Amino acid sequence: MNSKNKLRTLFDYDFLDEPPLGSGSYGTVYSVYHKQYKNCAAKCISKKIMAERGLNEHLRNETTIHKKLKHKNIVNFLDQFQTITEVFIILEKCNSETLEKICQNFKNIFKKQMSIKLIQHFLLQISNAVHFMHSKGIAHRDLKLDNIMLYFEDELPLDDGNNTKYFYYNREFIKSPESFENIMLPQ
């Protein structure tokens, strides 16, 4: 068995002694270290919660989709493994600042607004990521400032793959305006 096909386990990762990077309705994200990936983020998802909410298929879809998204402005999927009670999704680690937090800092700390040039720079990266996803037939479905992470000072990868869906399966649904009346927004 070569190293690429080696079975990965929880013991291959060192969980860093830091507060969680974040948490959501499905799990918690921790800082971890791996020999190959170096510093990364581990999304820890309870199998029990996923089963109770009937979201096991949702999790399979999330990982299948995220594995296909290799783009500089999308958080990279690195690995996945599971224990008896949890599923771990290993992702590229951003420096933990969301665009929401950055906007708040500009307003509250710097007492000013972002420059038009900086906003254009961020919007270009966001639109590049969204365009790439759409070219793969994938819609994000939860694009908001909290799901846009600051990365290496000014690169912005999109996060929250659990709200992505393939949209090419039902193009008629997207084309017809009346079909939107049954859509409930995540917020």
Side-chain angles (χ1 to χ4, degrees):
M1 181 185 271
N2 67 32
S3 63
K4 188 169 180 127
N5 295 328
K6 179 183 174 260
L7 180 65
R8 279 115 24 236
T9 69
L10 190 57
F11 299 110
D12 293 326
Y13 295 87
D14 292 324
F15 281 70
L16 303 180
D17 189 21
E18 298 177 0
L21 296 173
S23 61
S25 56
Y26 303 130
T28 304
V29 180
Y30 298 97
S31 290
V32 296
Y33 181 83
H34 184 271
K35 285 186 287 186
Q36 178 183 351
Y37 305 126
K38 307 297 180 206
N39 291 318
C40 43
K43 190 178 201 180
C44 176
I45 303 163
S46 165
K47 287 182 176 181
K48 181 180 177 185
I49 291 173
M50 294 301 284
E52 286 172 354
R53 296 181 185 176
L55 297 171
N56 289 328
E57 185 66 27
H58 180 81
L59 180 60
R60 278 190 289 282
N61 289 340
E62 172 186 349
T63 55
T64 299
I65 291 170
H66 206 148
K67 286 176 186 177
K68 296 178 180 187
L69 298 175
K70 301 287 184 205
H71 187 273
K72 72 177 187 171
N73 297 120
I74 297 174
V75 173
N76 282 317
F77 179 99
L78 300 173
D79 197 6
Q80 176 186 352
F81 62 93
Q82 55 186 309
T83 64
I84 293 170
T85 58
E86 288 146 336
V87 174
F88 291 87
I89 299 173
I90 308 299
L91 303 168
E92 174 181 29
K93 183 180 175 185
C94 300
N95 71 3
S96 301
E97 290 293 335
T98 65
L99 192 51
E100 173 76 26
K101 180 81 169 165
I102 294 163
C103 290
Q104 288 173 356
N105 287 345
F106 265 88
K107 183 179 175 187
N108 298 332
I109 296 172
F110 305 127
K111 306 289 186 213
K112 64 180 184 177
Q113 294 181 341
M114 282 189 219
S115 71
I116 296 295
K117 190 171 186 164
L118 183 59
I119 293 169
Q120 288 173 335
H121 179 70
F122 288 164
L123 284 173
L124 179 62
Q125 292 178 64
I126 294 165
S127 60
N128 284 340
V130 170
H131 179 266
F132 176 77
M133 291 174 76
H134 288 183
S135 75
K136 300 285 186 194
I138 298 168
H140 191 283
R141 295 183 7 138
D142 195 20
L143 192 57
K144 59 186 178 184
L145 296 180
D146 265 341
N147 288 337
I148 301 170
M149 309 294 290
L150 183 65
Y151 178 68
F152 295 139
E153 298 193 25
D154 67 352
E155 294 289 316
L156 292 170
L158 299 182
D159 190 19
D160 202 16
N162 66 336
N163 281 299
T164 56
K165 292 281 184 197
Y166 286 103
F167 63 81
Y168 63 81
Y169 288 125
N170 194 350
R171 290 191 190 273
E172 294 307 311
F173 178 79
I174 290 169
K175 288 180 185 173
S176 81
E178 60 277 359
S179 64
F180 288 100
E181 59 195 42
N182 293 325
I183 293 178
M184 195 165 131
L185 295 175
Q187 282 76 354

